[in-house]
Amino acid sequence: MGTVALSETKTMLTLPGDAVRQILWRFADRFDLQMLVQSARGVARGTVARLVAAGERNTHEWTQGKSEMMEAFDQAGVTAAFMEPEEGGFISGPKNLALSLAAFELAWVDGGAATASLAGFLALAPIHERGTAEQSRHYKQLSAPPQLGEDRKPWRGAFALTEPIPYVGVDTGMLSGKMRVAEWKDDEEPWLQVDKRGRFITNIAFANFVTAAVNSDDPRIKGSCVVILEETDEGIYDHGTPTKKLVHQLSSTGDPIFNLKVPASRIVGGYTVKDGVIVPNYNHGEIIEAVFRRTRVPVGVMTAAKLLSAVEPVIRYQRGRFRGAEGARPGTVRYEQGIQQREDALHRLVDVWATGEAATSLGFAAARLFDKLDPVEKRKTAILKESGIQGGRNEMKALKESEQKAMELLAMKPNDPRRVELEADPLVEYVLMDAEANVICPATKLWNTGHGTNMMREAVSLMGGYGITEDCPGFLANKWMDAQLEATYEGPEAVQRRQLTITMTTEVFLAEFRGWMAEMRRIASTGPGTGACTLASAMQLWLWTLNHLQKSVDPDGGKLYHGQRQGVTFALADALCWILASRCQILDVLELEAQGVNDPVASEGLKGTVQFLSDLCHTQAAAAAGEVSRICAELVFGYNQHPAWTDEGHQGCFLASELDELEETMPGISAFAMDVISADGSHPQKAGPCAGCAGSSEFLRLQNKLTMCLSGSRLAKDRAAETVSKVMIPEALDYPA
Amino acid sequence: MPNALHIVVCAGIVPDPLQTLEPVTTAAGPGLKNEMVLPAVLDPWASSALYEAASLTTKNPGSRVWLVSLGPKAKLQAVMMTIAQKVAFELVPIDGPIGGFPEAHSTAAVLAETIAALPGLDRSHLLLFGGWESATRGAGVTLQLVGEILGIADQFQGVDQIDLREDGSFEVLERVEGGKHQVSVCAGTPAVLGWATGGLAEPRNNPQIGMANMRTIMPALQKAKVAKLEANGLSYVSVSLPKQQRTTRVVKDLSPDEIARELVEWIGAE
């Protein structure tokens, strides 16, 4: 075989590699994160993949193999990624992006492995976020993997929240843990008796300590708190029975029982004593809010990883589908392209790929935002504390003025002299970031896992019957099932939707949203082809619909946009998620286009890569626009009463006699009249006259505009499909399957 | 520290062997299709040499390891994100062309010049390590040439093991025909060792080691000197991949003895 000359091309050459991903996801300048990625990848595609291939998922029990996986995490630095260098880690500063990247790499192979890794962080997170300095230092040092020359086993933790035990009289809205004062001698530390039962508690088979949310069951303790329990504490520390999960079997899950006597110093964040009552410095709600708003993001990233991980195995399967069959000889289209001869196979894979890109962009954008928010939030807390303001409600009140300033800043012209002052205001900065974070976190959790699961089903279907066998390369069927759990744990979809219905309607967020709308129009004007214009039109329609619904009532006079009206609010939240994901995807591709030229590796074939990823953006934006259009139309028109054959209902209809008269001056008009009432009062055999659209012309104008903005989106999909049929993939998957 | 060693490991980078490797003609001569964007790894043979070097330094306090690598700087940096986590070393990058097609004498000259100029290198204690083979189109002579230029006469190829003795001499196992090793004893450094696979497993990634290495690796990459390799009249008529040989038979219920007998016959026929 001789060599062939390489022609210049604008098609994407290979699957996007690390150089491209580092720019897209903004860690090209962070070698600590790049090393973490390589390290986590090594464990995922080595230890983890071998466990899955060997059938370790076939048991609920915690096995030696699964234990070795945890040790592999320790040795590869995955466990230490949560800690500061002085605590045994190697990454300084906020770690949201770091943990998301590690979760991405692990979930590329197995979601349970990623969960097992994240669960340890989840146990430490309450201590990290709100623990005293001593608690934080103590438990992180215990949990840090041994350093070179050290001979000790790291502690493992579990987080036991509010999961109720079914059928044993526990209300799902209440904590399933209680604490009482067990012993309190004068001038000595009080001792607490903690009684807690957990369900679906991850890492519990081997947890040395548990951070448990409990309520007071004693007048000498106020409210609730999170308390740290250790396995050597006096009393019962029962790891419980393994949960019979159908998914994520590489993580340990069980229903533990605790009845332990612990010192009050184990209350996370400490406590004060007022009038003989122990008052925890933080109630469990304050701690959990701080924890979950961060830890939910990596879960969304995990499902996104599954979608992107499906691309290579599906392409390989599609291309090789007919090889070995009679009539498919080397060199023939059937042999070389297999199922990729067919547009449908390519288009469906493009949809999976586009969703994966959008979901990953959204997830990493959220992670980066929390990295930025962390120090800003700490500064905010310090500033307010100096003014004597502490606690959730007090802080919210105090930040009202900053909210106004934030909105003023968002509406300000670039050259306004007050801009510098407002931009330098740390409270304004906090308010802006917080408003965005409060939306983007639940959006990531909700959309990535929920819609991601649907698209994983699509990915599985692209492998035919092979897709639902254990032999399927890339473990796609496992990933499909795993994604469903990811949509559920750490706050199921309804919880995320509920949060969104509140946070997406704050004035600050909506002001930011308007800015993003303008941003998409600007992008469309300078760089068409990403679908930014389509998305801007979808954003406009969503915003109009929200405003409309907030003022509208149903035929019974009931408010449409209302907390209890989840048919309205949740649907709008869903629509918003599509928009946010698509926006992040577009912004990432623009970043690659701008920065890729400076990277010698990414710049190779950059035009082709940017073109392809832009086409995926366009495809995704069109899908998002379609969803937004459908949902908004249903909400705007769906709550109108359909006209009936009553006097009121058919007042817009023609009478047969009227039509006869009009026919004389406008011949042919009868052909256009849909609903005609005859002289005897009879009418067409249907439920009522067709509904009109009076009062909704603006909606229809916007929807029409949106529809026309879809121009070119299918051409983009065709181009993307063409690339999918030609892009070079490796000879084999780089992990066993 | 009688056995404090100065070990220089010459290691190039190669495309990840799992990638599709398709020879093409580029403006600069033969190459691989999309080679610049293919993920790269440290040449597996030379990787063995690096791990053996690191192992020797832990047993011989006061020793140092340099990793001299010639390749595109950006690709080297990417590979370092993994390799730097495995063992401690000082990187000496040379920004040069990718691929296994540059002329061996030019490559050796650049490597030798770089090694000779290493600050703090005691050439009397030098062990020059590298791969016996390469996962690219290995010329099979580069390491030997580097040794010759540096004036090192004691050279060993296909090395699987080195055992240092108290007196500074060492025993080397070299692969020879028939799956056997030739045992040599060398009076002492300097020497060239082209490693086969060695006897060590690939170390796990350890970001702690990586972060320590990065303190010197990143500045070194920024200061990497650029090497332009002369063709010296070398040209390639054609380039092709080795052909896969696969003669599969599906046979059921064959006893282990019969399978073994067939294998022995097949190996004998080779």
Side-chain angles (χ1 to χ4, degrees):
Chain A
M1 181 178 71
T3 58
V4 293
L6 196 62
S7 59
E8 201 174 321
T9 176
K10 282 184 186 162
T11 303
M12 187 168 71
L13 304 172
T14 60
L15 301 177
D18 283 332
V20 169
R21 293 300 184 196
Q22 287 159 13
I23 296 171
L24 281 171
W25 302 333
R26 318 298 207 295
F27 64 104
D29 57 346
R30 294 278 306 270
F31 61 77
D32 51 349
L33 299 185
Q34 290 173 30
M35 282 198 294
L36 174 65
V37 164
Q38 296 302 328
S39 204
R41 185 178 298 169
V43 178
R45 301 183 197 192
T47 308
V48 173
R50 283 195 294 273
L51 285 175
V52 178
E56 283 286 318
R57 287 178 59 116
N58 298 338
T59 173
H60 305 295
E61 301 298 326
W62 192 249
T63 63
Q64 181 62 31
K66 294 176 189 178
S67 280
E68 284 165 9
M69 178 186 73
M70 301 301 289
E71 286 164 22
F73 291 160
D74 295 340
Q75 288 161 357
V78 177
T79 312
F82 189 78
M83 285 91 177
E84 288 294 318
E86 60 272 21
E87 295 161 345
F90 60 98
I91 299 171
S92 296
K95 312 217 171 18
N96 300 285
L97 181 58
L99 300 187
S100 289
L101 284 167
F104 179 89
E105 288 299 333
L106 293 170
W108 187 275
V109 175
D110 188 80
T115 297
S117 141
L118 289 173
F121 307 144
L122 187 61
L124 283 170
I127 303 170
H128 171 75
E129 292 296 336
R130 295 289 183 262
T132 63
E134 192 186 338
Q135 287 170 341
S136 185
R137 189 173 54 250
H138 180 68
Y139 287 98
K140 281 187 191 169
Q141 281 176 351
L142 285 172
S143 304
Q147 304 292 301
L148 288 173
E150 268 190 306
D151 181 23
R152 64 172 173 83
K153 286 206 168 226
W155 276 34
R156 314 273 184 212
F159 182 44
L161 179 58
T162 57
E163 296 291 354
I165 307 292
Y167 313 118
V168 291
V170 183
D171 188 313
T172 54
M174 306 295 286
L175 289 179
S176 58
K178 301 284 182 197
M179 60 178 169
R180 298 183 308 279
V181 174
E183 198 178 314
W184 194 349
K185 293 179 183 163
D186 288 344
D187 301 326
E188 284 186 20
E189 172 111 83
W191 285 78
L192 309 174
Q193 190 67 36
V194 177
D195 183 16
K196 172 83 181 177
R197 300 185 72 174
R199 189 163 190 245
F200 287 137
I201 306 304
T202 310
N203 273 8
I204 197 60
F206 48 82
N208 307 102
F209 72 97
V210 171
T211 39
V214 287
N215 254 331
S216 169
D217 191 28
D218 190 318
R220 289 172 292 171
I221 308 173
K222 187 180 176 191
S224 66
C225 69
V226 173
V227 65
I228 305 163
L229 310 175
E230 295 182 6
E231 62 181 342
T232 51
D233 288 330
E234 181 187 334
I236 298 167
Y237 187 105
D238 184 341
H239 297 268
T241 52
T243 305
K244 292 190 168 73
K245 291 177 299 180
L246 290 171
V247 295
H248 279 224
Q249 294 95 338
L250 290 193
S251 69
S252 146
T253 308
D255 303 345
I257 300 167
F258 308 105
N259 195 323
L260 298 164
K261 188 175 163 186
V262 301
S265 59
R266 298 278 189 78
I267 293 174
V268 173
Y271 65 94
T272 52
V273 177
K274 281 185 191 165
D275 303 327
V277 174
I278 297 169
V279 183
N281 290 340
Y282 297 100
N283 67 40
H284 88 283
E286 287 167 328
I287 294 173
I288 286 163
E289 187 197 348
V291 169
F292 273 164
R293 73 192 302 221
R294 287 165 176 80
T295 57
R296 280 169 176 160
V297 171
V299 180
V301 171
M302 281 164 56
T303 317
K306 296 177 202 305
L307 292 169
L308 291 183
S309 79
V311 169
E312 185 192 321
V314 170
I315 291 178
R316 188 173 294 107
Y317 168 78
Q318 288 180 333
R319 289 184 188 167
R321 177 67 179 84
F322 300 127
R323 291 177 193 174
E326 276 190 41
R329 303 192 190 292
T332 63
V333 176
R334 199 170 165 77
Y335 180 91
E336 299 298 337
Q337 289 194 296
I339 299 173
Q340 291 205 332
Q341 298 169 81
R342 305 291 174 219
E343 186 176 83
D344 177 65
L346 293 168
H347 275 198
R348 287 179 187 278
L349 182 54
V350 166
D351 285 335
V352 171
W353 196 336
T355 307
E357 294 290 343
T360 321
S361 292
L362 177 63
F364 285 132
R368 291 194 303 271
L369 178 64
F370 279 109
D371 273 357
K372 286 185 192 161
L373 178 62
D374 281 357
V376 176
E377 189 173 25
K378 286 191 172 77
R379 202 154 64 230
K380 174 263 312 180
T381 307
I383 290 169
L384 294 181
K385 195 176 175 184
E386 272 180 27
S387 309
I389 301 163
Q390 271 181 293
R393 284 180 188 278
N394 294 335
E395 285 194 357
M396 273 171 65
K397 274 186 206 165
L399 288 171
K400 282 287 171 201
E401 189 189 339
S402 299
E403 285 174 13
Q404 291 306 315
K405 285 182 184 172
M407 283 187 291
E408 188 187 342
L409 177 62
L410 289 170
M412 203 170 262
K413 288 187 176 156
N415 54 356
D416 193 302
R418 259 174 62 75
R419 173 171 283 276
V420 176
E421 178 201 336
L422 292 182
E423 279 179 344
D425 185 334
L427 295 183
V428 170
E429 189 184 15
Y430 168 76
V431 163
L432 287 170
M433 281 190 191
D434 189 53
E436 186 181 349
N438 282 335
V439 171
I440 201 168
C441 171
T444 300
K445 177 69 167 64
L446 172 63
W447 191 81
N448 283 19
T449 60
H451 182 57
T453 306
N454 295 342
M455 293 309 284
M456 265 316 294
R457 191 212 66 81
E458 189 77 10
V460 169
S461 80
L462 293 177
M463 300 289 269
Y466 199 21
I468 48 167
T469 66
E470 286 184 3
D471 300 330
C472 177
F475 311 126
L476 297 193
N478 289 347
K479 288 173 183 171
W480 172 30
M481 289 276 281
D482 284 351
Q484 181 56 47
L485 177 59
E486 286 147 30
T488 303
Y489 70 12
E490 285 210 41
E493 288 160 284
V495 170
Q496 310 309 319
R497 289 187 174 109
R498 173 83 183 125
Q499 187 182 338
L500 277 167
T501 59
I502 297 161
T503 57
M504 74 186 187
T505 54
T506 64
E507 287 184 336
V508 177
F509 174 72
L510 289 175
E512 287 177 320
F513 188 80
R514 284 185 207 97
W516 297 347
M517 219 156 66
E519 170 195 48
M520 285 296 125
R521 292 276 183 228
R522 275 197 305 277
I523 291 168
S525 66
T526 55
T530 56
C533 198
T534 315
L535 192 65
S537 296
M539 293 166 97
Q540 207 172 355
L541 189 71
W542 181 87
L543 195 57
W544 186 94
T545 304
L546 173 67
N547 286 331
H548 171 80
L549 294 170
Q550 283 178 321
K551 291 179 285 193
S552 301
V553 294
D554 66 13
D556 296 329
K559 274 187 170 179
L560 285 183
Y561 200 92
H562 186 276
Q564 301 300 319
R565 198 120 203 192
Q566 294 159 357
V568 176
T569 55
F570 282 18
L572 262 188
D574 286 342
L576 177 65
C577 292
W578 282 85
I579 290 170
L580 297 177
S582 189
R583 172 179 174 265
C584 291
Q585 185 185 9
I586 290 169
L587 294 179
D588 278 0
V589 175
L590 292 178
E591 176 77 6
L592 176 67
E593 189 174 20
Q595 302 300 328
V597 288
N598 302 321
D599 184 294
V601 178
S603 61
E604 189 85 2
L606 182 66
K607 279 188 179 169
T609 306
V610 168
Q611 177 66 59
F612 173 71
L613 293 176
S614 298
D615 287 336
L616 289 188
C617 284
H618 206 157
T619 301
Q620 188 61 30
E627 279 297 305
V628 171
S629 177
R630 179 186 65 76
I631 291 170
C632 291
E634 270 190 46
L635 296 176
V636 169
F637 294 104
Y639 286 97
N640 294 341
Q641 191 81 54
H642 197 287
W645 296 113
T646 59
D647 287 348
E648 190 185 349
H650 64 55
Q651 57 183 284
C653 301
F654 285 107
L655 296 174
S657 55
E658 284 172 341
L659 271 184
D660 290 343
E661 285 173 21
L662 287 169
E663 194 66 36
E664 288 175 13
T665 52
M666 287 179 278
I669 191 173
S670 305
F672 295 97
M674 296 287 294
D675 300 318
V676 181
I677 312 293
S678 304
D680 61 359
S682 62
H683 52 72
Q685 286 301 308
K686 54 182 185 169
C690 286
C693 56
S696 305
S697 58
E698 181 59 10
F699 179 86
L700 293 174
R701 187 186 70 77
L702 292 173
Q703 196 187 34
N704 256 340
K705 180 174 165 51
L706 172 59
T707 306
M708 287 184 283
C709 281
L710 295 174
S711 302
S713 61
R714 283 276 163 170
L715 295 173
K717 194 171 201 173
D718 279 349
R719 276 195 304 273
E722 175 80 6
T723 300
V724 169
S725 73
K726 289 181 176 165
V727 69
M728 196 167 100
I729 61 168
E731 287 286 334
L733 206 59
D734 61 355
Y735 55 96
Chain B
M1 290 181 287
N3 279 340
L5 300 167
H6 282 188
I7 308 175
V8 175
V9 182
C10 295
I13 53 173
V14 297
D16 183 334
L18 284 177
Q19 297 295 322
T20 301
L21 307 178
E22 189 178 326
V24 290
T25 301
T26 69
L32 292 174
K33 190 176 177 183
N34 304 328
E35 187 166 6
M36 194 59 186
V37 282
L38 293 178
V41 295
L42 200 69
D43 201 323
W45 306 88
S47 298
S48 301
L50 177 65
Y51 307 147
E52 295 285 350
S55 172
L56 280 176
T57 56
T58 56
K59 294 174 197 158
N60 295 280
S63 299
R64 289 173 73 178
V65 176
W66 288 266
L67 176 66
V68 179
S69 191
L70 194 160
K73 197 163 70 167
K75 300 290 284 184
L76 279 175
Q77 182 175 324
V79 171
M80 285 305 122
M81 294 306 151
T82 305
I83 293 300
Q85 299 191 54
K86 295 186 180 296
V87 293
F89 59 82
E90 297 167 56
L91 178 68
V92 185
I94 308 165
D95 195 6
I98 197 166
F101 298 101
E103 200 269 327
H105 288 78
S106 298
T107 306
V110 169
L111 292 174
E113 185 190 8
T114 306
I115 293 165
L118 284 178
L121 178 71
D122 180 350
R123 283 167 68 170
S124 65
H125 285 99
L126 173 62
L127 283 177
L128 181 64
F129 279 17
W132 172 45
E133 257 293 359
S134 169
T136 61
R137 187 207 61 85
V141 295
T142 310
L143 187 66
Q144 292 93 317
L145 289 170
V146 176
E148 291 291 333
I149 297 169
L150 292 173
I152 305 173
D154 291 323
Q155 301 210 2
F156 305 89
Q157 293 297 327
V159 176
D160 268 338
Q161 191 175 310
I162 179 172
D163 289 313
L164 259 68
R165 296 172 173 174
E166 284 292 314
D167 62 358
S169 65
F170 54 87
E171 186 181 282
V172 179
L173 297 192
E174 286 174 284
R175 289 188 184 182
V176 290
E177 292 290 315
K180 296 180 178 175
H181 283 108
Q182 171 179 289
V183 183
S184 306
V185 176
C186 186
T189 55
V192 174
L193 279 79
W195 283 86
T197 54
L200 298 175
E202 181 178 334
R204 287 179 184 272
N205 291 330
N206 183 338
Q208 306 276 7
I209 295 174
M211 291 302 283
N213 274 334
M214 279 299 157
R215 288 190 200 112
T216 56
I217 286 176
M218 294 309 282
L221 281 164
Q222 281 165 2
K223 290 187 289 188
K225 72 173 184 181
V226 179
K228 196 178 175 204
L229 303 178
E230 299 297 331
N232 290 340
L234 176 71
S235 67
Y236 292 85
V237 178
S238 74
V239 176
S240 63
L241 290 175
K243 285 198 170 53
Q244 275 190 354
Q245 289 188 340
R246 184 177 290 174
T247 48
T248 305
R249 283 188 301 132
V250 179
V251 183
K252 292 180 179 174
D253 304 329
L254 211 60
S255 73
D257 286 346
E258 286 172 297
I259 294 170
R261 184 176 46 74
E262 260 199 47
L263 280 172
V264 169
E265 279 174 14
W266 180 73
I267 292 166
E270 287 287 300

